[in-house]
């Protein structure tokens, strides 16, 4: 049960916050704030600190998971085999591949797919590109654009400028 809960928390945070694997590995319980719905990412790419969002639906699982690991006395949310160290970020990919194999999934996805999906789904839900760029820790919007997958849903929701033109009968 604890192992499944741990995997749920890892996958939930990866998809729900858009954090990079090395950022997830370095999370400490104190970096998560349920009250504000944020996660503090320390020393991210380029040495920057930032905030990203905490999935509200994951708060209960995170609390339960933390209760199960609190006795380990590690400073890390995801301790490694040696509790003095955090989990190796490469372990997330190994866990993902193992779960995919157990589920007989043969698609080309990888652990980083959670991050790509986070950005794409934020865009589909109407978040502006600058906000997405900020929560993903990018220094420019151009970096964020490579994560955004153009989907039929997104294309279908765009109103053509032609449809905003006055009709012939409306001109008289």
């Amino acid at each position: 049960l604890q192992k499944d809960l741990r995997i749920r928390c890892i996958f939930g945070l990866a998809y729900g916050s858009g954090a990079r694997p090395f950022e997830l590995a370095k999370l400490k319980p104190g970096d998560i704030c349920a009250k504000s719905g944020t996660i503090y990412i320390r020393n991210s790419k380029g040495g920057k600190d930032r905030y990203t969002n905490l999935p509200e639906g994951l708060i209960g699982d995170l609390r339960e998971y933390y209760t199960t690991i609190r006795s380990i006395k590690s400073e890390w949310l995801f301790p490694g085999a040696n509790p003095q160290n955090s989990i190796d970020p490469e372990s997330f990919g190994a866990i993902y591949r193992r779960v995919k194999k157990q589920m007989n999934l043969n698609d080309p996805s990888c652990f980083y797919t959670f991050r790509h999906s986070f950005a794409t789904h934020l865009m589909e839900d109407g978040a502006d590109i600058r906000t997405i760029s900020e929560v993903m820790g990018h220094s420019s919007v151009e970096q964020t654009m490579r994560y955004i997958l153009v989907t039929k849903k997104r294309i279908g929701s765009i109103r053509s400028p032609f449809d905003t033109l006055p009709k012939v009968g409306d001109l008289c």
Side-chain angles (χ1 to χ4, degrees):
L1 176 67
Q2 194 263 343
K3 192 175 188 180
D4 290 343
L5 182 58
R6 182 176 186 235
I7 291 170
R8 240 186 3 257
C9 289
I10 290 168
F11 288 4
L13 284 173
Y15 170 66
S17 71
R20 297 173 178 97
F22 83 89
E23 295 168 341
L24 288 176
K26 297 299 182 186
L27 279 180
K28 298 177 179 182
D31 295 335
I32 296 174
C33 182
K35 188 175 183 178
S36 66
T38 59
I39 301 171
Y40 185 58
I41 306 286
R42 299 170 192 275
N43 200 21
S44 183
K45 201 169 182 179
K48 296 182 286 185
D49 295 347
R50 73 173 196 285
Y51 286 94
T52 189
N53 56 314
L54 170 65
E56 187 177 328
L58 195 59
I59 293 171
D61 284 345
L62 285 167
R63 284 186 175 134
E64 184 180 348
Y65 168 72
Y66 182 65
T67 300
T68 66
I69 66 154
R70 191 176 8 207
S71 63
I72 295 173
K73 304 263 191 259
S74 176
E75 69 178 302
W76 309 107
L77 184 61
F78 301 112
N82 174 352
Q84 300 309 308
N85 299 326
S86 67
I87 189 172
D88 182 340
E90 297 293 321
S91 297
F92 295 134
I95 293 167
Y96 184 78
R97 289 187 297 278
R98 189 179 73 241
V99 170
K100 271 181 51 173
K101 186 175 181 178
Q102 289 171 349
M103 297 178 70
N104 292 319
L105 297 176
N106 296 316
D107 61 31
S109 67
C110 64
F111 190 77
Y112 235 80
T113 302
F114 288 127
R115 185 167 162 82
H116 292 269
S117 298
F118 170 78
T120 300
H121 294 156
L122 282 179
M123 178 64 81
E124 286 179 349
D125 289 343
D128 67 274
I129 193 74
R130 292 209 181 274
T131 301
I132 297 169
S133 185
E134 179 71 27
V135 297
M136 291 192 70
H138 292 156
S139 55
S140 71
V141 173
E142 288 75 26
Q143 289 178 296
T144 308
M145 291 306 295
R146 69 175 179 225
Y147 284 92
I148 307 301
L149 304 175
V150 179
T151 64
K152 288 181 184 176
K153 178 182 175 185
R154 182 98 175 127
I155 293 169
S157 69
I158 298 170
R159 188 169 181 204
S160 170
F162 180 84
D163 293 333
T164 64
L165 296 174
K167 306 291 184 260
V168 173
D170 295 340
L171 296 176
C172 302

